[in-house]
Amino acid sequence: MNHPEHGNTRHGRPTRARWSLTALAVLAAFALSACGDSGSGGSTRGETDAEGVAYAKAQVEAHLNPLTEFKDPGDKISGLDAVKGGTIAYVPITLKATYFQAQLEQITEAAALVGMKVQVCDAQAQPTVATQCVNQAVAAKSAGIITDSLPFALARNAYAAAVEAGIPVVASDVSDPLPPEWEGKITTNNNGQDAGSRLMADAIIADSGGDANVLFVSTTSTSTTKQSAEAVLDEFKTRCSGCEVTSVAWEASAVQKIPTTVSVALNSDPNIDYVFVSYDQPAGPPAIQGMQLSGRADKLKLVGYGSDVTAMQRLAGGKQLTDVANDPAMIAWNNTDRLLRMMAGAPVPAESSYTIPRRVFTADNVGSVNGSSVTDFKNGAWFTDGSFRKAYAELWGAS
């Protein structure tokens, strides 16, 4: 999306903000987003640069500490005795990422409270495998299905088969429009990825004082990740007229191309001083390799989204500026709650009713958590005090 040039200046020189992002087909070949027409990222809310920076700093400050409060998303669920002994099928886009491993562990823990077990099938980021996984869950007469980052286009017929079989489905991290005939049978959510992405942009705006030249390494392979990428660009545009953003896109099926793409982009614009990678896995390591290939790694500030263990270690070692992540544990319990409500024939609360903890991690607060512990990431200890587990147990009549 291109925006006309408004002739803004920054430190006495013309400012050009590039807001182009190439929309990619699902799991299509990797493509480099071309820079769009020149244009400034003028505020659409009438904010001055100072107001935008103040807002960004306030957002970062508000997310430096773990969350200690939890609100019930809805009323207590009744009738769950009927689901005991049943199986929940969990189908993530790929189990290679620690985030999805955390989801599996937490859904399994939550399901056990109501006497259910979980069967996982790794979609391996492949349409045929994704279809096989969902169809397998249908054939096994699963009590419910939770898919993760599995857009409808990747396994539409299999989703339809689940609906036809009367199996409730929670499509997590999916923002695709819901066909009318699927209403009430499949529920979707994006787990606050837009808010997390905006927070990452705020971290850059705050650190730079509203004067950042950013290489945004993003993915737009699904509706949710596309919306998240658009949220990042909108946050820069709205809050930081003095920021410039160049976007390059990566695909899960071609992460090996990221180093070259990043290196070329960096060498094309020597003024870039921030590299924003979404997501830490699987894009983080190859993006860092691209920074090294450019020969400018020591002059760049790295920021990431996802907060895996390697990112936390980089923060502690002074090799990364900041990282943002949503809590995988509470998201897993939220999704389990959604599915249990569908199984019980109860209304599913709006996404805004669910608490989604997120934190900004820096060198200053990374020491407050065991950043080297994969276990603490998976069980959510980085993000909350864990009180949501007791609250959910009470909602499900399992306390």
Side-chain angles (χ1 to χ4, degrees):
M1 60 189 78
N2 300 324
H3 298 265
E5 186 166 357
H6 300 292
N8 291 20
T9 60
R10 181 177 64 176
H11 302 315
R13 68 179 188 278
T15 297
R16 298 190 307 163
R18 290 158 294 205
W19 305 106
S20 167
L21 190 62
T22 302
L24 304 179
V26 176
L27 297 177
F30 179 93
L32 173 65
S33 294
C35 296
D37 294 341
S38 299
S40 75
S43 171
T44 60
R45 303 181 189 176
E47 292 178 334
T48 64
D49 283 349
E51 289 172 333
V53 171
Y55 172 88
K57 288 182 176 180
Q59 287 298 302
V60 171
E61 183 68 26
H63 291 87
L64 290 174
N65 298 312
L67 191 69
T68 57
E69 297 180 357
F70 173 80
K71 64 176 182 178
D72 294 346
D75 297 332
K76 186 173 181 178
I77 308 173
S78 60
L80 289 181
D81 285 344
V83 305
K84 286 183 178 179
T87 298
I88 295 174
Y90 176 57
V91 185
I93 186 66
T94 173
L95 270 178
K96 288 184 178 180
T98 307
Y99 174 86
F100 298 114
Q101 296 168 16
Q103 290 284 296
L104 172 59
E105 291 185 9
Q106 293 302 309
I107 292 171
T108 300
E109 180 182 334
L113 287 179
V114 293
M116 301 189 73
K117 59 183 179 179
V118 175
Q119 180 67 48
V120 64
C121 184
D122 184 357
Q124 301 175 29
Q126 299 295 328
T128 55
V129 180
T131 297
Q132 290 171 1
C133 283
V134 178
N135 282 337
Q136 176 181 302
V138 173
K141 298 182 179 179
S142 300
I145 301 172
I146 297 177
T147 65
D148 213 331
S149 300
L150 215 68
F152 294 150
L154 207 64
R156 181 168 292 273
N157 291 338
Y159 273 116
V163 170
E164 180 67 23
I167 300 175
V169 179
V170 172
S172 182
D173 283 334
V174 171
S175 302
D176 300 337
L178 199 64
E181 63 272 20
W182 292 3
E183 290 285 349
K185 301 171 183 178
I186 295 181
T187 183
T188 62
N189 62 78
N190 77 0
N191 293 321
Q193 286 203 41
D194 291 4
S197 297
R198 288 183 183 276
L199 184 56
M200 194 67 262
D202 291 335
I204 296 173
I205 295 170
D207 180 75
S208 68
D211 185 10
N213 191 317
V214 185
L215 176 62
F216 179 29
V217 186
S218 69
T219 178
T220 59
S221 59
T222 71
S223 56
T224 297
T225 57
K226 181 181 178 182
Q227 288 178 8
S228 294
E230 290 172 346
V232 169
L233 299 182
D234 181 70
E235 192 73 355
F236 277 116
K237 177 177 181 289
T238 302
R239 307 292 182 188
C240 190
S241 64
C243 292
E244 297 185 17
V245 180
T246 300
S247 298
V248 293
W250 61 270
E251 279 293 317
S253 59
V255 294
Q256 73 276 6
K257 296 185 178 181
I258 294 177
T260 299
T261 300
V262 169
S263 177
V264 169
L266 290 173
N267 287 327
S268 297
D269 187 348
N271 292 319
I272 291 174
D273 45 12
Y274 290 84
V275 177
F276 172 14
V277 183
S278 186
Y279 299 82
D280 288 335
Q281 288 293 342
I288 292 171
Q289 184 181 353
M291 292 166 61
Q292 295 168 340
L293 287 173
S294 74
R296 298 175 51 206
D298 60 339
K299 299 179 181 179
L300 299 166
K301 292 184 177 181
L302 174 65
V303 296
Y305 186 33
S307 297
D308 67 354
V309 169
T310 55
M312 302 292 271
Q313 292 171 340
R314 288 193 295 270
L315 286 172
K319 297 180 180 179
Q320 183 166 330
L321 175 66
T322 188
D323 209 287
V324 170
N326 297 332
D327 178 15
M330 193 178 291
I331 286 173
W333 285 68
N334 290 348
N335 285 331
T336 304
D337 181 78
R338 290 183 174 97
L339 189 62
L340 292 178
R341 291 178 187 276
M342 295 176 74
M343 291 177 180
V348 177
E351 183 163 5
S352 59
S353 298
Y354 287 92
T355 302
I356 302 177
R358 62 183 56 89
R359 285 188 73 181
V360 175
F361 292 104
T362 69
D364 292 332
N365 71 350
V366 70
S368 67
V369 300
N370 186 358
S372 64
S373 172
V374 175
T375 299
D376 284 356
F377 170 75
K378 290 181 177 180
N379 66 23
W382 292 0
F383 304 92
T384 77
D385 60 2
S387 60
F388 67 88
R389 291 180 172 84
K390 181 179 178 181
Y392 266 135
E394 293 176 353
L395 283 177
W396 302 340
S399 59

